[in-house]
Amino acid sequence: MTLTSNITDTALIFEGGGMRASYTAAVVATLLDAGLYFDYVAGISAGSSNTANYLARDAKRAKLSFVDFADDPRFGSWKTWIQGKGLFNAHYIYEETCLPGGPLPYAFDTFAANPARLRIGAFDMDSGRTIYWSRSDMARPADLMRRVRASSTMPIIMPPVTIDSRTYVDGAIGQGGGIPLSIAQADGFRRFFVVLTRDRHYIKPPTKADGFFRAYYRRHPSVAEGIADRPRQYNATREELLDLEREGRAYLFFPEHMTVSNRTHDVAALQASYDAGLAQSRRELPRWQDFLGL
């Protein structure tokens, strides 16, 4: 299998947002349907799932992951949270369903054949640093999916993930507040196509229940500090993106109407979110092509 990329000067970046990615999964589908193949992709949290699905060139899986799959009885609930598996049943969602014959089989051969570089970020609970993995860390499907899981592990409602003796939670509480712009810049990019899950005018408010998080993570204070600092990091990254947009160096996809939350399980609501994302993506496609010079 020989795959090629046709966009080499622009980084594709996916913000996280839990089930809000039902909207941006439609961006994945539209990019693939239009044959827009970026040579560099970065994602955090739910954005890491969009990254993995995009690199497998699997528009169908992109949609299933954030819409239809929520109807799976093993997807997660307060029962699985009490059992220690997470409000989202993390091991099942990321490490079991992707297997051959599973509900969401993953085309790892296509992923491996795709020449694009990638970055997936997670938060190291011990060091308090954001760690970004690349292809060299993902020789097997299990390596990729465990890192997607780590990147997506929302604090408290999902159990932390251990990889090579280090323990991780959601990359959204680290550097950039959940938008992996800085790693793309560090990797040499000056142009960016950024897929966001909040509307253009959103400003993240201060974190509530700061005392609760400090008590809950008393053995890992860097996690509580990361949660408390996330609004500042997130809002600063958004401001930087808007500056890049004004300079003509970034195309920013903002959802027009976000009607679901990061924890929405209702399939009808998720389908409506996907449909809205698909309609917006198709309207914007000519502008995408213009920005990308295609």
Side-chain angles (χ1 to χ4, degrees):
M1 182 187 302
T2 302
L3 301 181
T4 59
S5 303
N6 55 5
I7 302 164
T8 58
D9 65 342
T10 303
L12 173 60
I13 295 173
F14 288 106
E15 180 184 5
M19 301 309 287
R20 288 195 298 274
S22 55
Y23 200 104
T24 53
V27 176
V28 174
T30 303
L31 288 170
L32 293 174
D33 289 346
L36 301 180
Y37 302 130
F38 288 80
D39 201 43
Y40 179 100
V41 193
I44 280 179
S45 197
S48 67
S49 288
N50 275 338
T51 295
N53 290 328
Y54 174 80
L55 290 173
R57 298 195 177 175
D58 195 337
K60 181 179 179 182
R61 191 179 193 274
K63 189 243 183 184
L64 290 173
S65 297
F66 289 103
V67 180
D68 311 68
F69 184 49
D71 208 28
D72 188 310
R74 297 180 62 187
F75 183 72
S77 64
W78 286 112
K79 180 179 179 181
T80 56
W81 184 76
I82 292 169
Q83 293 170 341
K85 299 176 182 178
L87 185 63
F88 293 94
N89 188 358
H91 188 276
Y92 174 68
I93 290 172
Y94 297 102
E95 300 188 57
E96 295 180 41
T97 63
C98 62
L99 299 174
L104 295 172
Y106 186 74
F108 189 78
D109 288 348
T110 305
F111 168 83
N114 194 321
R117 288 184 288 161
L118 81 151
R119 292 288 199 168
I120 289 175
F123 186 82
D124 185 322
M125 294 177 66
D126 300 306
S127 69
R129 295 174 54 231
T130 300
I131 303 299
Y132 284 100
W133 294 296
S134 60
R135 279 196 180 274
S136 62
D137 302 298
M138 304 168 191
R140 303 171 302 152
D143 300 328
L144 168 62
M145 288 304 173
R146 193 154 182 84
R147 285 163 175 79
V148 171
R149 176 185 170 186
S151 181
S152 306
T153 296
M154 288 187 272
I156 298 178
I157 67 171
M158 296 167 75
V161 177
T162 300
I163 299 173
D164 297 331
S165 302
R166 307 294 294 184
T167 306
Y168 299 93
V169 290
D170 200 319
I173 67 172
Q175 184 182 45
I179 305 171
L181 172 64
S182 61
I183 188 64
Q185 292 170 322
D187 285 337
F189 284 87
R190 289 180 48 79
R191 284 172 53 84
F192 312 93
F193 188 102
V194 188
V195 183
L196 298 148
T197 60
R198 296 286 195 178
D199 69 68
R200 176 174 286 274
H201 304 291
Y202 178 77
I203 297 174
K204 187 170 287 297
T207 303
K208 297 179 181 178
D210 184 59
F212 168 77
F213 288 118
R214 292 189 183 281
Y216 190 91
Y217 287 110
R218 60 190 178 279
R219 295 181 181 175
H220 296 95
S222 65
V223 178
E225 291 164 7
I227 293 171
D229 194 44
R230 189 186 174 206
R232 182 192 66 80
Q233 293 248 18
Y234 181 84
N235 293 334
T237 302
R238 295 253 309 197
E239 283 301 314
E240 184 175 0
L241 286 173
L242 291 168
D243 286 342
L244 289 167
E245 182 185 51
R246 284 188 282 270
E247 294 170 12
R249 293 202 287 127
Y251 187 101
L252 307 182
F253 177 90
F254 290 106
E256 293 172 346
H257 305 288
M258 181 55 65
T259 57
V260 298
S261 77
N262 61 345
R263 303 181 195 180
T264 298
H265 281 49
D266 181 79
V267 173
L270 295 169
Q271 180 66 56
S273 174
Y274 180 86
D275 291 343
L278 191 62
Q280 181 181 345
S281 297
R282 287 173 174 171
R283 286 196 307 273
E284 290 191 19
L285 178 58
R287 280 185 279 157
W288 301 357
Q289 294 166 320
D290 226 26
F291 175 76
L292 297 167
L294 296 173

